[in-house]
Amino acid sequence: MLMSIRADHSTVQKTPDSVKGRAELALNNEFLRRAVKFTTERLKSGKLAAAEEHGNWEEWRERGRQIRLHTIAHLDYYLEQFVNNARAHGVHVHFASDAKEAVQLTMRIAKEKQAKSAVKSKSMVSEELHINHALEEEGIEAIETDLGEYIIQLAHETPSHIIIPAIHKNRHQIAELLSKEAGEDLPPDTAVLAGFVRKKLREKFLEADIGMTGCNFAIAETGSMVLFENEGNGRMVSTVPKTQITFMGMERIIPTLDDLEVMATLLPRSATGQRLTVYMSVLSGPRRAADADGPEEMHIIILDNGRSLQLGDTHFQELLNCIRCGACLNACPVYRHIGGHAYGGVYSGPIGAVLTPALNKNMAEWDDIASASSLCGACYEACPVKIPLHDMLVYLRHRKVEAGRGEQAEKMGMQGFRFIMSDAKRLKMIAKLGRWVQKPFVRDGKITTQIGPLKGWNAYRHLPSLPSETFREQWKQLEQELHASGRPTVHEEIRARMEKLVAARNQSDHMHAGDMARSSDLQAASRLKAAEGERRDER
Amino acid sequence: MNDKTFLAELDAQSRVKQEEFFDHIASRLQRPRQKTAPIRTLKGAPEDWDRYELSLEARITQFVKHWELAGGHAHRLAAMKDAVLLIQDMVRHTGAKHLIMQDQPELEPIQTALLRTKEELQREEQQDINLTIWNAHGLDDAAKGWLVAAAAQADIGITAAHAAVSYTGSVVLPSSEISGRTVSLLPTMLIVIIPVLRLKTRLGEVLRPMDEWPLAERPAGIHFVSGPSRSADIENDLTIGVHGPGIVHALLIEEA
Ligand code: SF4
C-alpha cells in the first residue's frame, strides 16, 4: 500500500453525510464516448450472438432435474443446513408461512431501521408479496431498479414476462414515461433512455436504507445465496445499502456450489441464451468486519406461501423444481399470442398457468388459463429441468372436472382453446422461430397490443354452450386438433402420457364421489378444495 | 429498543418458527424429519463434462472469444509491464479523471506506474488524475464510506481476478479488505488483470474447491463477471452499462 496514494482521497473529503452526498454523480458522457472510441466498437449492431449449443443438452437437463428432485425430496434437511451455515456468517434468517407474515417481518425490519427508501432488484417472490404496496403504506419509497421493472413501475403495471418484464412496451411509450420522470423530453433512443435511468437510479442506490433482492439459488453447504443478473442492479442492492433483505422461496435450495455449475449452465441458456449471465454473485453473509463495502446487516426471509402444498403431491411436486428461467413462456404459442397480462397472476405462461392455482390453493378461478394452453408440449421440451407442464395442465383440468365444479368454466375454456388452436398454423410458425425471445415476437403485434382474449372469454356470454361431454370425449377432440396442428412427434409422446392419465381416470370413474379422497390421484383435489375453504375463512 | 435487542428478539422468534416450518415440510413429504445427510448418487456436472479440459493456449483463445462475444474487450499481453503501458495509454487517451484500484499485491506495478502518470500529466498540465487505492485496513466507517464514494464517481476501476473461466468467459472476483465489491461495479469502465495460470476451462473447477473453503475464510461476496453490464429491456434492444460498467477490458498476462 503506497501512502502517497492514500493521501489522494483525503483531499476529496468535504461533506461526509451520505455516500450520495460524497459522490459527485455525473453522466460522464465525454469519458464514455472517448472510452468507446479508444477501442473497436463491436456493439454497433446492438445485438450479441447467443451462445452456441451446449453439448449433451439432454444429459444436462436430466442432471438438473435429478439435482432438483433430490433436493426437494430432502428439503427439510437442506434448508436446515443452509440456515445453520447462513447464520454462521451472520445472516438473520426468518421464516414466513405466507405472504402476510413475510410482509410483517419486512415491515418490522424497515421500521426498526427507520427506512425512508428501499431499492429492489427484480424478484417474482416480492411480486407475490406485493411488498411495494406495504412499504408505500408506511411512507417508505420502494424503487424497482431493473431497467424493465423501473419502467413498469412508472407505468403502474405488473410485469408481463419473467425475464423481460416490459416486453409489452415500445421505445416511444418508454420515452414518454421517462420524460415525465425527467421533467424534460427524452428522445426514444435506447441509449439515452438507459443513460437517464442509470443516473437516476444510481442516486437512489446510494441513498437507500434497504436493498431488497430475490434469490435464484441458496447453497446449503456454504450458506450462500446466489443471484443471476445482467444489469448489475442486483449487485447494487446487495452491496450499497446498509441493510439487505432477501426474499427466498423455500424451494430455492441446492446442496453445494458444485451443483451450482449445473444450474449456472441451465438457467442463463434457457432464460436468455447466454453462456452465463453477466453477473453471478455468490453472497455469504453481511460484510466482514474488515471489509469497506457490502451490507452491514443481511436478512433472508424464507417463504412458503403455498409451496408446501405441492410437496407430497405426486402430480405437482415437480413444480418446486422450477428455476424460473422463463423458457416455457418463450416456447408457448399461447403465451406469445396473448402476452403475460392475460394470465392475471404474478407468474404467466405455462408455468404460471399451473403455479398460480397451486400457490393460490384455488384452481377454479384460474382454470381458463389451463384450458387455453395448447398442450402442444413445447413447454416441456424447453424446460431445463424437464417439468412435465403440459401433463400438469391437462391434469389440472381433469381434476376440476372430477371435482364436479366449474362445468360452465370448462366449456368456456374449451371455446378459448379452440380460439387459440384455430390459429394453430400461424402459431406453429412462430413456435418454430426458436426458443429465445426475439424481436419478431415483440413486434409481432400480438404481444404489444395486449388483446388479452383470456379475459374477454369470461365476457362471451352469448357463445353457444357445448353439449355436455366427458373428459375423454373432449380429449379426443383435442387430439384431433393437436394432430391437425402438426408436431407429430410430440403428439405421440403426449398421447402416451394422456393414455396413462385416462387410465387413472377410468379407475376413479367407478368410485363413488364420497370415496374420491381415497384415490391417490384425487387426494390432492380434495386437499385443494379444503384449502380453498380455509382461504375463504381467512378473508 | 436498540438494534441488538431487536435482532435478538427476531432471531429467537425465527428459531421457534423454524422447527414448525421444517416439521411441516417433513409431514408434507410423509416422513419423519431428515436429520442426517442424504446419500447422493449424483453431484455437480455430468461426469463427461468433468473430463473436458483444454490446453492453456486453447483456454486463452476460448476465453478471448467468449469474453468478446459478450461485448467485452480482451488483450493478450506477454508481461505485466505491457499491462502497465496499456493502462497508462488508456488513461491518457480517454481523459479519465477518477481512477480506483484494489490494493492487491499483483497490481503493485500498475499502482506505481499510475502514480508516475499522474505526476507527468500534472506537470504537462494535461489532466488532473485522482487515484484511490482500495484498502480498508484500519479505516473507520466514515473513511470506508469515502472509498465507496470514490468508486461511485470513478471512470476506471482496476482489479485482479482470483480466477477466470474460459468456457463461460468469466472472471471471478472475491471481496476482501483489499478488494472492494464496488470497484468492479460502480466505475464506468472496468479493467481486470488475469494472470493466465489462473485461467480454468470449466466453472466447476472454480466452484468445487469453494465448497471446501473454511467458514472464516469465505468472502462475503464472490462475483463472477462475464462482460459489460447489459439489458435488453427496451424493445429487446441491447443496451450496455445500465448499472455496472459498460466497458470491460480483460488483460491476460502470460508471464508466469
Ligand atoms: S417451468 Fe421450466 S421452463 Fe418454465 S420457468 Fe420453470 S424451469 Fe423454466
Side-chain angles (χ1 to χ4, degrees), chain A residues 74-127:
Chain A
H74 304 97
L75 188 59
D76 50 341
Y77 176 82
Y78 287 117
L79 205 49
E80 186 168 11
Q81 191 190 14
F82 167 73
V83 168
N84 291 339
N85 286 324
R87 282 203 181 116
H89 284 305
V91 179
H92 301 281
V93 183
H94 315 281
F95 298 88
S97 298
D98 55 25
K100 207 169 98 194
E101 282 183 21
V103 171
Q104 277 169 355
L105 278 162
T106 312
M107 296 318 295
R108 277 176 73 184
I109 298 164
K111 277 189 215 163
E112 173 70 21
K113 303 289 153 203
Q114 300 178 329
K116 288 184 202 64
S117 70
V119 280
K120 298 175 61 205
S121 69
K122 181 177 157 51
S123 134
M124 298 311 284
V125 177
S126 74
E127 291 289 322

Side-chain angles (χ1 to χ4, degrees), chain A residues 443-481:
Chain A
R443 300 239 165 102
D444 175 55
K446 294 298 184 291
I447 286 173
T448 49
T449 54
Q450 295 177 62
I451 52 167
L454 277 175
K455 277 186 178 147
W457 291 338
N458 296 330
Y460 290 165
R461 298 280 175 232
H462 59 277
L463 279 177
S465 63
L466 292 168
S468 175
E469 290 165 315
T470 68
F471 177 81
R472 266 164 296 166
E473 284 165 338
Q474 287 175 355
W475 172 252
K476 259 183 226 150
Q477 286 190 0
L478 300 190
E479 208 177 33
Q480 278 162 13
E481 287 176 28

Side-chain angles (χ1 to χ4, degrees), chain A residues 162 321-329 351 379 382-385 387 389:
Chain A
I162 293 185
N321 296 356
C322 174
I323 59 173
R324 306 282 190 268
C325 69
C328 55
L329 278 65
I351 180 66
C379 47
C383 179
V385 289
I387 300 173
L389 286 166

Side-chain angles (χ1 to χ4, degrees), chain A residues 289-536:
Chain A
D291 292 352
D293 57 7
E296 287 167 21
E297 205 173 292
M298 182 166 160
H299 297 266
I300 297 183
I301 299 177
I302 300 175
L303 180 72
D304 181 337
N305 203 30
R307 287 164 173 80
S308 60
L309 281 175
Q310 295 143 52
L311 283 172
D313 180 324
T314 45
H315 291 95
F316 291 97
Q317 182 164 317
E318 280 190 56
L319 273 182
L320 295 170
N321 296 356
C322 174
I323 59 173
R324 306 282 190 268
C325 69
C328 55
L329 278 65
N330 300 340
C332 178
V334 176
Y335 172 81
R336 291 219 206 95
H337 191 67
I338 63 179
H341 285 274
Y343 289 80
V346 171
Y347 300 94
S348 54
I351 180 66
V354 188
L355 197 58
T356 304
L359 291 178
N360 284 280
K361 313 170 192 173
N362 173 2
M363 57 182 175
E365 262 178 50
W366 304 96
D367 67 46
D368 55 341
I369 302 285
S371 306
S373 300
S374 71
L375 312 177
C376 68
C379 47
Y380 168 74
E381 283 174 55
C383 179
V385 289
K386 298 169 77 168
I387 300 173
L389 286 166
H390 56 306
D391 285 356
M392 292 179 179
L393 286 163
V394 171
Y395 191 69
L396 205 56
R397 303 170 42 148
H398 184 186
R399 228 154 51 170
K400 185 182 58 67
V401 175
E402 285 298 334
R405 278 178 287 130
E407 196 187 318
Q408 186 60 26
E410 175 73 7
K411 287 172 193 163
M412 300 304 281
M414 287 302 294
Q415 292 293 345
F417 180 81
R418 289 222 177 81
F419 174 82
I420 295 298
M421 292 313 289
S422 67
D423 265 343
K425 290 204 181 77
R426 187 149 43 101
L427 291 169
K428 203 176 70 183
M429 294 308 291
I430 298 171
K432 276 191 182 153
L433 287 175
R435 281 152 72 188
W436 322 123
V437 172
Q438 308 222 341
K439 263 187 172 166
F441 302 142
V442 189
R443 300 239 165 102
D444 175 55
K446 294 298 184 291
I447 286 173
T448 49
T449 54
Q450 295 177 62
I451 52 167
L454 277 175
K455 277 186 178 147
W457 291 338
N458 296 330
Y460 290 165
R461 298 280 175 232
H462 59 277
L463 279 177
S465 63
L466 292 168
S468 175
E469 290 165 315
T470 68
F471 177 81
R472 266 164 296 166
E473 284 165 338
Q474 287 175 355
W475 172 252
K476 259 183 226 150
Q477 286 190 0
L478 300 190
E479 208 177 33
Q480 278 162 13
E481 287 176 28
L482 277 170
H483 192 67
S485 76
R487 306 190 67 102
T489 45
V490 178
H491 171 72
E492 285 309 309
E493 255 179 63
I494 298 174
R495 198 168 59 91
R497 283 198 199 90
M498 288 312 302
E499 271 166 9
K500 262 198 267 169
L501 277 176
V502 171
R505 141 110 197 187
N506 283 344
Q507 275 181 358
S508 59
D509 268 353
H510 300 302
M511 274 186 235
H512 185 267
D515 292 331
M516 272 171 60
R518 261 180 255 143
S519 148
S520 69
D521 271 0
L522 295 167
Q523 267 176 10
S526 60
R527 272 204 298 273
L528 273 174
K529 202 168 184 177
E532 227 179 291
E534 266 168 40
R535 191 174 156 82
R536 274 195 210 100

Side-chain angles (χ1 to χ4, degrees), chain B residues 86-87 90-91 110 156-160 189-193 247-251:
Chain B
L86 179 64
I87 292 172
M90 277 185 190
V91 170
I110 299 174
I156 300 178
I158 305 172
T159 191
M189 182 205 268
L190 173 67
I191 298 173
V192 186
I193 306 293
I247 303 169
V248 292
H249 289 270
L251 276 52

